[in-house]
Amino acid sequence: MTERHAPAALHLRGVTKRYGEVVALDGVDLEVAPGLITTLVGPSGCGKSPLLGVVAGLTAPTAGRVHLGGRDVTDLPAERRGAVLVFQEHRLFPFLTALEDVAFGLRMRGVPRRERDRQAAEMLERVGLGGLGGRRPAELSGGQRQRVALARALVLDPQVLLLDEPLSSLDPHLRDGLRELVVELQLERELTTLVVTHDREEAVAFGDRLAVLFDGRLHQHAGPRDVVERPATGEVARFIGATEVLPGRRMRDRVMSPIGPLPLPAGVSGPGDGGSGGVVGADGSGGVVGALGAAGADVEVVLRRDRLRLRAAAAVTDSGSGADDQVRSERGLLVGRVAAARYLGTRTRVTVTIDGHELTVEAPSAELAAFGAGAAVTLEVPAEAVWLVPAGSSW
Ligand code: ADP
Ligand code: MG
């Protein structure tokens, strides 16, 4: 292997891409962390592939600049950028053997035959295909073809590895193995890696950082835990899932919602706390958006399903001589009825109806075993379950 360079930074500045009327990317600013895996996630059609195309040099942006390894590469041809793209569909040459395919890019660079065959064989070995170098694509499984595609990219010793839904054409049981391989290879090389996926679970598990794109706009770029626990917008909360999103209004010491008054998020205190609101900026820096701090602000209330608590209705009524509205609201206690309970193995998902609104609680099955359809329940919404984002985030 060639000597290693320091991990390369990748910056996008105001990148816009229009196809006629379609705005595929809309002023995207993104600083991809050097030497880490960043997952780019969003629904189908949000602009993920166009973004990779712009970085790889296969797509010219309508506006904006791309900086890679400290250079402005916006006007450089793809082969001079040091970024290599692996496509969703492994586009192998049908008439080349795996070895010839992996060696192809080296051949284009004028590497002599013996040397390129040596490097290609070594790379095939590394991706777990030692001994299969003589096979053509038709003689390889989908997972093996995707490994060839990965080897073909890595043998070029890129500064930045771009993967466009690398696992989505594979059977689920093959995905874990290939994902682990990508992570291993990335770590070995400290390769700045940008992986596209539309699978939210994969996005959270794969990357060191998570960038969430909707309609060509970057809504949030942060660590996976921040994105899950502190979504920047209602769209992010809905897409990443495991949440309920309700309209609401922030009051001084609580937030009003269609299911009743709820506590403010942890860290957002009540009276006298003029400045804070429980929301991060799109850069995930934890910066607080002041508008949410104002009493009377319209918000969206994000409730985390795994932090909601169910109690049998009687239990609360018994303990609750003071279960008047004030106490209920401070503790986030809501009265409802179980609409459905679904056993999922280690976890159970219970849907509760409160004032005509359905909410889902998810918890270890042992905690929720007692709640069958029709049961009267009290739903406890602790402050840790609550997060606020600006209403109708007008992105
Ligand atoms: P994603 O990878 O997130 O699914 P798409 O590939 O669907 O994103 O691209 C986003 C938008 O850009 C879509 O509306 C798509 O039709 C449009 N688009 C992408 N590539 C092209 C192209 N080469 N020509 C015209 N429109 C394109
Ligand atoms: Mg795509």
Side-chain angles (χ1 to χ4, degrees):
M1 282 284 92
T2 45
E3 89 227 43
R4 301 254 57 86
H5 14 242
L10 170 62
H11 296 171
L12 281 74
R13 299 248 187 276
V15 169
T16 291
K17 179 62 188 177
R18 289 196 196 91
Y19 293 103
E21 297 286 286
V22 176
V23 183
L25 296 171
D26 190 1
V28 173
D29 290 312
L30 177 63
E31 309 227 338
V32 178
L36 297 179
I37 297 184
T38 297
T39 311
L40 179 64
V41 70
S44 185
C46 72
K48 303 181 297 297
S49 295
L51 190 147
L52 286 195
V54 166
V55 174
L58 306 176
T59 305
T62 310
R65 311 303 295 177
V66 178
H67 293 255
L68 201 159
R71 292 185 303 164
D72 185 333
V73 299
T74 318
D75 302 317
L76 282 186
E79 63 276 12
R80 290 185 42 215
R81 292 189 173 204
V84 186
L85 174 55
V86 176
F87 293 96
Q88 176 172 0
E89 301 295 333
H90 29 73
R91 300 179 185 176
L92 303 184
F93 300 112
F95 48 89
L96 293 186
T97 66
L99 187 81
E100 290 165 342
D101 200 299
V102 174
F104 185 80
L106 297 173
R107 187 169 142 198
M108 293 293 99
R109 285 184 179 175
V111 178
R113 167 144 206 178
R114 186 183 294 269
E115 175 58 17
R116 65 181 192 245
D117 283 359
R118 188 190 65 74
Q119 287 187 29
E122 190 179 291
M123 193 54 72
L124 279 173
E125 184 82 40
R126 183 61 195 88
V127 299
L129 297 178
L132 300 187
R135 297 217 186 157
R136 289 175 214 287
E139 302 163 318
L140 296 168
S141 70
Q144 289 169 336
R145 286 197 289 259
Q146 203 60 320
R147 283 167 192 257
V148 174
L150 198 53
R152 183 169 69 179
L154 289 175
V155 82
L156 296 173
D157 196 27
Q159 288 185 284
V160 172
L161 179 63
L162 308 167
L163 302 166
D164 197 348
E165 312 224 11
L167 310 178
S168 63
S169 63
L170 300 180
D171 290 339
H173 70 280
L174 290 175
R175 286 185 195 162
D176 289 350
L178 195 65
R179 179 167 53 236
E180 275 161 31
L181 178 65
V182 169
V183 171
E184 276 173 28
L185 292 165
Q186 184 274 333
L187 277 175
E188 268 169 35
R189 286 142 212 270
E190 292 188 278
L191 200 52
T192 304
T193 301
L194 190 54
V195 186
V196 158
T197 178
H198 66 264
D199 182 318
R200 55 204 82 190
E201 281 177 33
E202 190 170 295
V204 172
F206 213 138
D208 303 299
R209 306 271 294 167
L210 193 50
V212 195
L213 202 62
F214 290 91
D215 292 334
R217 291 183 174 215
L218 188 67
H219 277 219
Q220 193 166 13
H221 177 212
R225 185 182 288 270
D226 266 338
V227 174
V228 170
E229 299 189 358
R230 299 151 64 88
T233 67
E235 286 91 337
V236 174
R238 287 187 190 88
F239 182 77
I240 295 296
T243 57
E244 304 289 342
V245 185
L246 302 166
R249 172 160 297 171
R250 192 235 204 260
M251 308 310 276
R252 258 171 12 122
D253 56 353
R254 65 183 98 172
V255 55
M256 302 310 295
S257 84
I259 55 172
L262 300 172
L264 292 173
V268 180
S269 52
D273 174 17
S276 54
V279 78
V280 281
D283 60 354
S285 62
V288 162
V289 177
L292 279 183
D298 283 332
V299 294
E300 286 193 288
V301 186
V302 180
L303 301 179
R304 292 190 53 194
R305 290 175 177 170
D306 62 333
R307 304 244 169 131
L308 300 174
R309 294 280 166 262
L310 273 191
R311 316 252 178 265
V316 172
T317 314
D318 290 349
S319 70
S321 54
D324 55 22
D325 281 356
Q326 183 58 31
V327 171
R328 280 186 187 286
S329 112
E330 275 169 19
R331 293 173 56 193
L333 297 175
L334 305 163
V335 177
R337 198 166 284 280
V338 173
R342 184 154 179 193
Y343 174 74
L344 302 171
T346 53
R347 300 181 72 74
T348 289
R349 194 175 292 160
V350 175
T351 309
V352 180
T353 309
I354 297 167
D355 279 349
H357 293 267
E358 289 209 334
L359 270 89
T360 299
V361 179
E362 196 173 316
S365 291
E367 286 177 30
L368 294 183
F371 301 100
V377 289
T378 297
L379 180 73
E380 184 185 346
V381 184
E384 308 83 67
V386 183
W387 185 248
L388 305 182
V389 297
S393 335
S394 47
W395 288 74

